[in-house]
Amino acid sequence: MSNRTLNLTDPLYDYVLAHSLREHPAQTALRDATRGHERATMQIAPEQGQFMAMLVKLTGARNTIEIGVFTGYSALSVALALPADGRILACDISDEYTRIGKPFWAQAGIADKIDLRLGPALARRR
Ligand SMILES: C[S@@+](CC[C@H](N)C(=O)[O-])C[C@H]1O[C@@H](n2cnc3c(N)ncnc32)[C@H](O)[C@@H]1O
């Protein structure tokens, strides 16, 4: 896991972001809000979020599961790519982390697509 793609020089990574990353303003704002967090390196890379969104669109997914939300960047990326009736079952054990992302989900207008469950993800298998 890394919050940037590995094995790229800084100039090449900057080029990738400048020329291929298309973020919703709420995604950019959520990355900014997470940057100073003591566990910020847990956040996925923005290009990974964009890749996940592409997979959602390519597969026509309507329902997805996320295990490990942190501040919600990947959930936001997937929710933006899902159709209007799409849903994410999102699991995390931390209210402290996940509540950081909720205002940005609302800002993007996709909060109703994310069903956040707090608790160990495995415990949901019943
Ligand atoms: C690498 S971070 C997830 C990054 C996130 N997908 C993002 O886009 O920023 C891992 C997350 O898993 C959560 N976690 C750890 N153990 C868990 C468990 N048993 N069930 C659900 N979530 C868990 C942690 O609280 C943490 O927020």
Side-chain angles (χ1 to χ4, degrees):
M1 179 197 68
S2 167
N3 60 353
R4 61 167 281 179
T5 298
L6 301 176
N7 300 326
L8 296 181
T9 61
D10 287 345
L12 184 53
Y13 186 62
D14 290 345
Y15 180 89
V16 167
L17 295 186
H19 294 278
S20 74
L21 187 64
R22 295 173 296 280
E23 280 187 312
H24 186 286
Q27 290 176 290
T28 310
L30 177 51
R31 283 201 295 125
D32 289 344
T34 304
R35 188 164 290 118
H37 193 281
E38 63 180 353
R39 304 301 304 275
T41 56
M42 290 209 296
Q43 186 172 57
I44 65 164
E47 65 274 18
Q48 182 183 344
Q50 186 161 292
F51 181 65
M52 292 167 73
M54 184 178 74
L55 291 179
V56 167
K57 291 183 177 175
L58 282 173
T59 60
R62 304 174 77 87
N63 295 289
T64 68
I65 298 175
E66 171 150 304
I67 299 174
V69 174
F70 187 42
T71 62
Y73 189 87
S74 52
L76 176 56
S77 302
V78 169
L80 285 165
L82 284 168
D85 62 348
R87 292 291 177 270
I88 304 173
L89 178 61
C91 306
D92 203 289
I93 53 175
S94 173
D95 173 62
E96 178 193 340
Y97 295 161
T98 54
R99 71 179 170 203
I100 293 170
K102 289 179 182 175
F104 301 94
W105 297 349
Q107 180 187 337
I110 51 71
D112 61 329
K113 294 183 184 177
I114 303 174
D115 178 7
L116 177 63
R117 310 281 182 98
L118 291 178
L122 278 179
R124 302 281 169 199
R125 292 178 55 194
R126 287 193 206 114

